[in-house]
Amino acid sequence: MSILPIVITGEPVLHRIAAPVTEFNDELRVLVADMFETMDAAPGVGLAAPQVGRDLRLFVYGWTDEQGVEHRGVAANPTLWIASLPIADLDDDEDAEGCLSAPGLRFPTRRSQRAVLQAQDQHGTAYEVRAEGWLARIFQHEYDHLDGVLYVDRLEDPHAYAAHKIIKKRKWGKPGLAWTPGVDDIDA
């Protein structure tokens, strides 16, 4: 296994719809293992294949809830259903998200509190997960990556303005930028 470089906003693979996974083979299983190692090293709670420069509808997730239950898995070719979005004001802490492809930024993002994920694991076996709260948020965030959407694209003002100003100041938004967890000194 190895830690992979994570591409930063502006890399074309992050901003387009990813291709379906068609082969569930050893190469895919190695990629999944590398993605888990990269996610854990970052540290993060999810990582999509486009974030490591791969044009695939694939993400991994790993998060331990307040009861100590570990939610960890692989989602290839996922479908995601969500409940309606809340209309209440966003809480700067409770609704805050970050993204490994926009490292160091955290802003409140409107997400549904419930989601149903249907996907395949790294062996091609189909499964379904019903999620609430933070796990539902993780699924929505990672699923967005597969459709070429970053969480900063979903921000509402004044947070959208602030995020885009920071992206411009850091000279992101162009191809060829990446960072590697454990190698680069970056605050993800």
Side-chain angles (χ1 to χ4, degrees), residues 89-112:
D89 288 341
L90 293 172
D91 182 278
D92 284 349
D93 294 321
E94 291 291 317
D95 296 313
E97 284 184 28
C99 180
L100 298 175
S101 290
L105 305 185
R106 286 189 65 75
F107 291 102
T109 309
R110 192 169 306 278
R111 299 285 190 188
S112 175

Side-chain angles (χ1 to χ4, degrees), residues 38-81:
T38 304
M39 177 188 74
D40 293 340
V45 294
L47 184 67
Q51 292 182 275
V52 293
R54 305 309 197 283
D55 182 19
L56 290 172
R57 294 192 72 74
L58 171 74
F59 69 81
V60 299
Y61 61 92
W63 170 70
T64 303
D65 66 23
E66 298 79 22
Q67 288 76 40
V69 176
E70 185 178 31
H71 304 272
R72 195 166 177 89
V74 175
N77 302 323
T79 303
L80 188 69
W81 286 273

Side-chain angles (χ1 to χ4, degrees), residues 7-8 32 43 59 71-72 74 78 94 102 121 123 125 150-151 154 157 160 166 178-180:
V7 297
I8 293 176
V32 165
F59 69 81
H71 304 272
R72 195 166 177 89
V74 175
E94 291 291 317
D121 66 14
H123 305 288
T125 304
L150 274 65
Y151 94 104
R154 292 202 177 272
D157 280 329
I166 293 168
W179 69 283
T180 304

Side-chain angles (χ1 to χ4, degrees), residues 151-163:
Y151 94 104
V152 294
D153 301 326
R154 292 202 177 272
L155 296 178
E156 301 169 10
D157 280 329
H159 305 293
Y161 175 78

